[in-house]
């Protein structure tokens, strides 16, 4: 194959690819691609035969080899998961602060009052006023 490729500057395209199909029949890259593909197939077939023999002779060694990458990945995931706190640990660490008062603020819309559906706290003339509407109130507070 080396002697085939001495006359060309670039590597042969993959066997069966569109670029390979476009090569002329006498192009040394076409033959080199065929030889390369044949060698890759031979290596693949040899590896399959080796694994088939291993599966018959030593099933445990076969499983270790076949699943080695998956087991290594699972172990890395397990280490990552083990470093994370559990939901129970997160709940135990949570510290709730004291409840804050609901306060309306100038220039902002009224604030919904927890526990009182459809009631909103408004800031009217500097006072906190609870009303059954979320429409902004202008001017003095009205009794509702």
């Amino acid at each position: 194959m080396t002697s085939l490729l001495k006359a060309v500057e670039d590597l042969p395209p993959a066997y069966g690819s569109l670029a390979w199909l476009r090569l002329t029949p006498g192009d040394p890259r076409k033959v080199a691609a065929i030889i390369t593909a044949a060698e890759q197939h031979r290596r693949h077939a040899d590896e399959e035969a080796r694994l088939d023999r291993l599966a018959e002779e030593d099933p445990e060694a076969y499983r270790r080899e076949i699943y080695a990458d998956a087991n290594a990945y699972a172990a890395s995931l397990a280490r990552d998961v083990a470093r994370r706190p559990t939901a129970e640990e997160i709940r135990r660490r949570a510290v709730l602060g004291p409840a804050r008062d609901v306060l309306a603020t100038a220039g902002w819309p009224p604030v919904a009052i927890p526990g009182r559906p459809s009631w909103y706290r408004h800031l009217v003339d500097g006072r906190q006023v609870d009303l059954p509407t979320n429409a902004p109130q202008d001017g003095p507070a009205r009794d509702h």
Side-chain angles (χ1 to χ4, degrees):
M1 192 163 92
T2 305
S3 62
L4 286 173
L5 294 176
K6 282 184 180 177
V8 296
E9 294 180 13
D10 52 342
L11 294 175
Y15 171 73
S17 68
L18 186 58
W20 180 82
L21 291 170
R22 289 182 176 149
L23 294 175
T24 61
D27 193 322
R29 292 174 297 169
K30 193 161 204 164
V31 176
I34 293 170
I35 293 170
T36 302
E39 178 61 15
Q40 289 172 343
H41 176 72
R42 184 196 64 78
R43 288 180 184 180
H44 178 74
D46 288 351
E47 179 65 7
E48 279 188 343
R50 185 189 71 79
L51 289 173
D52 288 345
R53 279 191 311 277
L54 185 61
E56 290 175 12
E57 296 167 4
D58 189 354
E60 193 56 38
Y62 171 79
R63 280 191 285 283
R64 274 194 310 272
E65 185 169 337
I66 292 298
Y67 297 119
D69 290 342
N71 288 336
Y73 181 63
S76 72
L77 288 178
R79 285 189 297 274
D80 184 45
V81 169
R83 285 192 294 266
R84 296 180 186 183
T86 64
E88 180 58 32
E89 290 170 332
I90 291 171
R91 279 192 290 277
R92 275 189 271 131
R93 291 179 192 168
V95 178
L96 298 176
R100 295 183 1 194
D101 290 330
V102 175
L103 297 174
T105 305
W108 286 83
V111 181
I113 301 172
R116 288 186 74 187
S118 302
W119 280 81
Y120 298 85
R121 183 144 303 153
H122 299 257
L123 184 64
V124 180
D125 293 335
R127 295 183 309 133
Q128 300 290 321
V129 179
D130 295 347
L131 299 171
T133 178
N134 65 351
Q137 304 294 308
D138 294 329
R142 299 185 302 235
D143 291 328
H144 287 277

